[in-house]
Structure formats: C-alpha cells, structure tokens
Amino acid sequence: MAQPREVLERERQETLRRLATLTDDFAEVVAASRDSNADDEHDPEGATIAFERSQLDALANQARDHLSEIDAAIARLDDGTYGVCEGCGQPISDARLKARPVARACITCASVS
Ligand SMILES: [Zn+2]
C-alpha cells in the first residue's frame, strides 16, 4: 500500500487542478455572460448561464471542501493522529483508509453519525 502522505499529496494536487479548471470555466462563463446582453431576464441564454454558473459554483465548493479535508488529514499525519477514529479512538481499517484517505472515523462510527 502507498504511504498515506503520498496518497493525500497526490489527491491534493488532483483537487487543486480540478479547482483551477473549474475556476477557469467559471471565469469564462462570467465573461460570456458579460459579453452577451444578459440584462434581459427573459433571455433564455441568460438562464442557461445562470444555471451553468451555479453548477460550476457547486462543483468548486465541493472541491474546496475536499481540499480542506485533505489538509486536515495531512495535519493529522503530522501530529500522529491519522488513521485513528475520532469517535471511538480505535484504528481505522486500512481498507477504509485506502478507499477514503481523508476518513476521520471508522466505518462503525461513520455510519452512526
Ligand atoms: Zn470509531
């Protein structure tokens, strides 16, 4: 199994890249909406742009949330609490950490909350 730090660093890079792409897309959509005469609220194109913006916004927020989870997991690696369940203090199984490297709780505690 790869070291958790490597896995987390790789995931961090991927998430940052995804966020950069989303931010670029977002800037393009905003620029496009400024170019077109989107001041007409009944303009169907304006509605599409608004929808696209909210979709991109949601995805970017998801990526940002994930990034903070990764950072928190890396911080736990640094202080030696990584892989220890926040709920019951027992070690989180390797299988779970492999599937979800940012997991803070074991599967039992995670399914309760
Ligand atoms: Zn637990």
Side-chain angles (χ1 to χ4, degrees):
M1 187 182 154
Q3 289 298 307
R5 191 177 293 272
E6 286 173 32
V7 175
L8 288 165
E9 287 292 347
R10 205 177 314 137
E11 194 148 328
R12 192 168 192 280
Q13 293 305 317
E14 277 169 25
T15 308
L16 280 173
R17 212 158 26 227
R18 183 153 34 112
L19 196 56
T21 310
L22 287 168
T23 314
D24 278 358
D25 286 356
F26 188 74
E28 268 173 41
V29 171
V30 172
S33 71
R34 211 175 288 135
D35 289 346
S36 68
N37 289 323
D39 49 334
D40 181 0
E41 282 176 26
H42 302 290
D43 179 2
E45 209 153 313
T48 308
I49 287 165
F51 178 73
E52 273 180 38
R53 280 179 69 159
S54 68
Q55 293 286 98
L56 287 173
D57 212 23
L59 287 171
N61 281 336
Q62 262 174 31
R64 264 182 226 113
D65 283 353
H66 191 55
L67 204 57
S68 62
E69 281 186 48
I70 293 168
D71 284 342
I74 290 172
R76 290 198 298 279
L77 270 177
D78 289 340
D79 66 18
T81 58
Y82 181 78
V84 177
C85 173
E86 284 186 346
C88 62
Q90 295 298 307
I92 303 171
S93 76
D94 283 352
R96 175 161 167 77
L97 285 175
K98 203 172 175 185
R100 189 172 160 70
V102 298
R104 312 164 165 265
C106 73
I107 206 132
T108 312
C109 292
S111 57
V112 170
S113 59

